Amino acid sequence: MGLFEEMQQAIIDGKAPVVKELTEKALSQGVKPGDIFPQVIIPAMNEVGRRMRDCEFFIPEVLIAARASRAATDILRPLLVGDDVARPAGTVVCCTIKGDLHDIGKNIVAMMLESSGFRIVDLGVDASPEKIVAAVREHHANFVAMSALLTTPMVNMKAAIEALDAAGLRGQVKVMVGGAPVTESWARSIGADGYGKDAPAAVQLARSLVAA
Ligand code: B1M
């Protein structure tokens, strides 16, 4: 088994100390921190999702796997983001939308945006439209990046855009949406400025919106 497969298996098995050890080993062998997301974390969590769907895994196993994936992201974050406080590209209010508690993908998107020069205001999960509006106002944000992993709360993305509009803030922010069930046509239908299929696409989109 190759190192990436071993890392994936350790995440699926929920073995956080092994994930930590193998992440350090990969880095010491010259693997780029940014490659560990697409090569290890995302496929491992997809397999966890498949097992959940097929009733091979239940919530405890999924939570343990999610915690194991954090053992890798905790090591990778400082390497990707650094401690530079100057973030000239703009301020992004990032969140998982109200009703949704999934945050692994949102955290990866936030980390990659931060490493590309954006300042991140992370509202965490279950963020209400009111909370998003307040954060945009307080931090003079240029972007809102909303994530959804469940289908039912996706309508709250639309509610957040309407709330920004009602607060007179829609003209000052570009709204990006993403997450597994979100599509380009959904983004368009709710009046978002763009959709990212994954974290690199979200960064590319944010950059293109800065330039627009
Ligand atoms: Co949940 N869960 N879960 N879960 N869970 C899913 C999403 C599900 C597809 C599993 C399944 O049935 N196969 C299913 C959703 C079905 C649906 O609505 N269509 C599901 C369900 C049903 C549930 C519960 C309802 C289960 C229950 O209680 N019976 C419950 C809901 C709780 C709630 O939110 N209210 C629940 C709970 C949980 C846990 C808490 C146990 C845990 C979350 C832990 C955590 O996040 N801290 C969990 C997990 C881990 C998953 C799966 C297995 C993995 C999600 C993940 O982390 N993927 C997931 C199955 C799956 O997705 N395969 C599943 C890895 C991550 C890197 O990918 O988040 O897609 P992702 O992010 C990607 C892209 O989507 C994109 O970039 C990221 C990186 O490339 N992206 C953006 C994300 N946000 C973006 C924003 C952007 C642009 C791109 O611009 C702003």
Side-chain angles (χ1 to χ4, degrees):
M1 203 190 275
L3 181 56
F4 285 166
E5 280 99 345
E6 252 186 276
M7 292 170 81
Q8 287 181 24
Q9 196 58 53
I11 291 177
I12 295 163
D13 295 340
K15 293 181 176 158
V18 179
V19 175
K20 181 173 182 287
E21 189 188 312
L22 293 176
T23 304
E24 281 159 354
K25 182 172 167 189
L27 293 171
S28 74
Q29 290 181 359
V31 171
K32 286 203 229 114
D35 288 348
I36 294 178
F37 294 105
Q39 307 272 14
V40 174
I41 299 174
I42 294 168
M45 293 313 293
N46 281 341
E47 173 59 14
V48 170
R50 186 203 58 76
R51 293 186 189 196
M52 189 181 180
R53 204 171 42 242
D54 295 346
C55 297
E56 292 169 31
F57 269 19
F58 297 95
I59 301 293
E61 289 97 333
V62 179
L63 273 175
I64 293 167
R67 196 183 55 198
S69 77
R70 280 204 66 142
T73 53
D74 285 350
I75 295 172
L76 301 174
R77 186 176 186 282
L79 300 177
L80 283 169
V81 169
D83 52 9
D84 176 14
V85 284
R87 303 262 169 225
T91 297
V92 188
V93 167
C94 233
C95 65
T96 302
I97 197 68
K98 186 176 165 60
D100 197 327
L101 304 177
H102 296 83
D103 69 356
I104 298 173
K106 183 268 294 169
N107 291 343
I108 295 175
V109 170
M111 223 183 284
M112 293 218 165
L113 284 170
E114 200 171 4
S115 69
S116 312
F118 292 88
R119 185 166 81 93
I120 300 297
V121 177
D122 191 344
L123 303 183
V125 297
D126 196 25
S128 66
E130 299 74 29
K131 197 170 170 187
I132 294 168
V133 166
V136 167
R137 193 173 275 134
E138 182 186 343
H139 299 280
H140 307 287
N142 326 81
F143 292 93
V144 171
M146 292 188 277
S147 179
L149 262 284
L150 298 178
T151 41
T152 342
M154 279 166 66
V155 288
N156 293 327
M157 291 178 155
K158 184 166 187 273
I161 293 175
E162 287 167 356
L164 286 167
D165 208 0
L169 295 168
R170 184 67 184 94
Q172 102 178 33
V173 282
K174 301 285 186 193
V175 178
M176 311 190 296
V177 293
V182 177
T183 60
E184 179 85 57
S185 65
W186 168 255
R188 222 173 299 124
S189 75
I190 61 170
D193 296 295
Y195 153 77
K197 119 176 136 32
D198 53 24
V203 171
Q204 210 176 3
L205 172 65
R207 284 199 184 128
S208 70
L209 290 172
V210 168

